[in-house]
Amino acid sequence: MSKTSTDVVVGDIDNNPHCPHGPTVLFSKASQEGVTRYFACSACRDRKNCKFYVLEDQRDKYNKAAWDKEIANFKKDVHHRQMYINYHKTLQSSSVRWFCNNCNKLSCEEEPKHLSHSVVKYLSLSDLEHPSKILPPLDDSKKEAQYHFSDLSVRDILRIFMRLGYRNVICIGAPRIHECIKNNHPNLSSILLDIDKRYHNFSSPLEYCWYNMFNHHFFFTEAKDVFETFLQTDRGKGMVLITDPPFGGRTEMLSATFKRINEDYKRLNKTESNLPMFWIYPYFMEPQIVNYMPDFAMSDYKVDYENHCSFQNSRRGKIQGSPIRIFTNVNLSLIELPPNEYRFCNKCSKWVGKENKHCDSCGACTSKNGETYVHCYLCNRCVKPAWVHCQQCNRCAQLGHTCSTINFSKDCFYCKERGHKQADCPLLSSDKKPVKKGTTKSGKQKKRKPSERCNKLKKKLKQQ
Ligand SMILES: C[S@@+](CC[C@H](N)C(=O)[O-])C[C@H]1O[C@@H](n2cnc3c(N)ncnc32)[C@H](O)[C@@H]1O
Ligand SMILES: [Zn+2]
Ligand SMILES: [Zn+2]
Ligand SMILES: [Zn+2]
Ligand SMILES: [Zn+2]
Ligand SMILES: [Zn+2]
Ligand SMILES: [Zn+2]
C-alpha cells in the first residue's frame, strides 16, 4: 500500500500560471517514489473538471497560448450588464419565464432548442428574486457542492448579525443569506461572491461578483473594483463577512483568501480593526481552522441545511444534529443563540447547546458534536458518550473497535487529527486514500451515487 500526501506550497500565487479558474496552486505531492511539485487548479479537485497540470520545472514550457484560449472561452458567454438588462425585461414580462441550465439562459421567449435541456419553467417574480431556490443545486462534491441553508438558519444568522450591529454583509458562497438580505432587509446591504456563474442572470453587477474563493480570483476586473468599493461602505463600519465553502475545500487556501480580504479591508478603510468573519464548516475542522486562523473559535450553533441528509438539525427529527458549525473571530460571549436550544454558560462566558454540559474537571463545556460528553478520569478528558475506556489501547475508544489497529498516539496522516486513520479521514477525497475495497483495478474510486455519498458521510460522522 503506497501512502501519498499532497501539500499546498503557500506563497504569493498571483504569479503562478493561470487556468480558467484563475491563478493555479503549487502542490507538492510526497509518495514513496519521491516528491512531485506541480501547478493545478485551485477550484476543481477532480482533474475532469479542470485539466490544468504543469510540473513546476515545466512552467516555462507548457502551452500557454492554448490555455489563454481556454480562459477566454470560459468567459465568452458572460456579459453581466446585458444579462441584468435581460433580467429586468423578463421580470416585467407576462409570458412564461424560464431558465435553461444547459445554456445558462433566462428568458420569456419561446425557443424550441431548449426542449431537450434542463429547463426550470413558470418562474414567478418571487422565484426570480430567490434564484438559489430554483436553480438545481450543482452537487459535484469536488467542485461547487451546493448545500443550502434552511430558512431557520438564515433567520438565526441574520438575527445574530443585526444584534451585533452589522449592516453591510459580504456573502462568499452564501447565496441564501444574500437573497434574504436583498428581499427582506432594506436596512442591510449585501454582496455575493460565488463561482456559480448562473447568478449573473439574476443579479446586478453591483451585487454579484463571479469569484473563486480558493485563490481570491475575480473572473472580471470590474467585479474586483465593485468588491473593493463595497468593502469601503460606511468606511468599513458594520461590515461582516460570511462564508460557507464547499465541504472538503483546503483550509490553508481558504484561510489565505480570508486573510487577504482582511488586509484589504484594513488598508482601504485605514483601520487596525479586523473584519468580523463567520466561516461555516464541520465541527471536526476546528483544529485546522484554529491552526490557520488563531483568533477564530467555534460557536455551538448547529447550522441547518435543507438539502443535505447529514447536515440537518435535530429540529427536523434527525437523531444526530447537524455537524456544521460557525467559526468566527468575534468574541463568542457576544454571539447570542436561540434560547430554546442554547443556554449561556457563565463559567465559559459563551452560548452553548443545552446538551453541552459544563465539565468542572475539564473547565469547559466540552461537547463538540451535539451529544453530551462524559468525563473519563483515566484519560483525564471528556469523551463521546458511546465510547468506553479500553484497557488494551489505554484510552477511550468506540465500542467494537479493533484494538491496536488505530495508533492513537499518532495523528491521521492527512488531517493530523487524532483518533482515525488516513483511510477513514472524513476530509480526504477518495483519490488520495490508500487503495481499498470499492476501488477499480487502476486504483480509481468507483463512482458513487449522491445518496451513497450521503450515507457514507453519515456513517463517518457516527464513527467520529
Ligand atoms: C456548501 S454551498 C453553501 C451555500 C449556502 N449554504 C447557502 O445556502 O447560501 C457552497 C457555495 O459555495 C459556492 N462555491 C463553490 N466553490 C466555490 C469557489 N471555488 N469559489 C466561490 N464560490 C464557490 C457554491 O456555488 C455554493 O454557493
Ligand atoms: Zn481550473
Ligand atoms: Zn438550453
Ligand atoms: Zn461551560
Ligand atoms: Zn471533562
Ligand atoms: Zn478513557
Ligand atoms: Zn482497544
Side-chain angles (χ1 to χ4, degrees), residues 31-54:
S31 66
Q32 277 160 357
E33 290 81 48
V35 176
T36 318
R37 283 164 63 107
Y38 59 92
F39 295 102
C41 183
S42 64
C44 310
R45 282 174 293 137
D46 196 327
R47 201 97 13 99
K48 82 174 189 301
N49 291 321
C50 181
K51 291 192 184 61
F52 197 97
Y53 179 90
V54 172

Side-chain angles (χ1 to χ4, degrees), residues 100 103 114 117:
C100 177
C103 306
H114 306 279
H117 294 176

Side-chain angles (χ1 to χ4, degrees), residues 334-347:
L334 304 174
I335 300 181
E336 200 177 323
L337 302 180
N340 50 337
E341 285 176 61
Y342 300 87
R343 64 179 182 89
F344 190 76
C345 174
N346 286 318
K347 292 175 184 166

Side-chain angles (χ1 to χ4, degrees), residues 5-219:
S5 79
T6 309
D7 289 321
V8 169
V9 181
V10 205
D12 182 11
I13 61 167
D14 286 343
N15 295 324
N16 290 356
H18 282 224
C19 74
H21 307 92
T24 55
V25 173
L26 181 57
F27 291 97
S28 170
K29 184 174 178 176
S31 66
Q32 277 160 357
E33 290 81 48
V35 176
T36 318
R37 283 164 63 107
Y38 59 92
F39 295 102
C41 183
S42 64
C44 310
R45 282 174 293 137
D46 196 327
R47 201 97 13 99
K48 82 174 189 301
N49 291 321
C50 181
K51 291 192 184 61
F52 197 97
Y53 179 90
V54 172
L55 291 170
E56 188 184 21
D57 55 13
Q58 301 284 311
R59 67 171 295 165
D60 299 322
K61 296 179 195 141
Y62 79 102
N63 192 346
K64 185 171 179 305
W67 277 103
D68 285 346
K69 232 183 197 173
E70 288 257 352
I71 293 168
N73 220 14
F74 191 68
K75 300 197 273 198
K76 78 173 188 321
D77 292 330
V78 183
H79 305 285
H80 201 166
R81 243 178 286 174
Q82 251 165 277
M83 289 159 104
Y84 190 51
I85 293 170
N86 178 57
Y87 172 74
H88 274 281
K89 198 176 114 198
T90 313
L91 203 66
Q92 282 150 15
S93 160
S94 54
S95 316
V96 172
R97 310 178 190 99
W98 51 267
F99 178 77
C100 177
N101 238 333
N102 300 46
C103 306
N104 188 24
K105 182 171 183 181
L106 174 72
S107 179
C108 51
E109 276 151 31
E110 275 184 40
E111 288 184 29
K113 100 169 207 212
H114 306 279
L115 281 176
S116 59
H117 294 176
S118 150
V119 176
V120 201
K121 270 195 251 175
Y122 309 111
L123 300 177
S124 65
L125 292 183
S126 166
D127 290 337
L128 294 188
E129 286 163 351
H130 299 88
S132 76
K133 298 215 166 178
I134 52 140
L135 294 172
L138 306 170
D139 75 343
D140 189 324
S141 67
K142 293 196 179 171
K143 205 171 158 231
E144 298 92 351
Q146 292 178 326
Y147 299 112
H148 292 306
F149 299 135
S150 66
D151 291 343
L152 191 73
S153 273
V154 172
R155 198 190 62 199
D156 288 346
I157 290 169
L158 286 179
R159 268 199 194 148
I160 293 174
F161 285 4
M162 287 184 286
R163 266 200 209 108
L164 290 167
Y166 302 140
R167 23 179 218 282
N168 302 311
V169 186
I170 302 164
C171 301
I172 305 187
R176 281 281 158 97
I177 304 283
H178 173 71
E179 281 167 22
C180 184
I181 293 175
K182 219 173 107 178
N183 296 306
N184 308 322
H185 297 276
N187 298 333
L188 309 185
S189 72
S190 164
I191 191 166
L192 173 66
L193 274 55
D194 201 290
I195 204 164
D196 185 346
K197 65 179 178 183
R198 296 177 301 178
Y199 286 110
H200 285 114
N201 292 286
F202 304 89
S203 327
S204 117
L206 294 183
E207 62 191 19
Y208 167 63
C209 304
W210 192 16
Y211 175 75
N212 179 359
M213 65 168 103
F214 289 105
N215 55 3
H216 190 48
H217 174 69
F218 290 85
F219 290 86

Side-chain angles (χ1 to χ4, degrees), residues 269-315:
N269 293 305
K270 301 187 179 61
T271 173
E272 286 306 309
S273 313
N274 287 320
L275 172 63
M277 300 195 221
F278 289 69
W279 175 346
I280 293 170
Y281 235 32
Y283 72 82
F284 44 81
M285 293 300 285
E286 186 185 20
Q288 293 212 28
I289 295 197
V290 175
N291 179 30
Y292 291 106
M293 308 291 268
D295 57 342
F296 273 50
M298 185 172 89
S299 157
D300 250 20
Y301 182 74
K302 300 176 192 73
V303 182
D304 190 28
Y305 288 79
E306 68 174 26
N307 63 335
H308 199 293
C309 62
S310 300
F311 298 173
Q312 283 167 344
N313 211 334
S314 48
R315 274 179 266 190

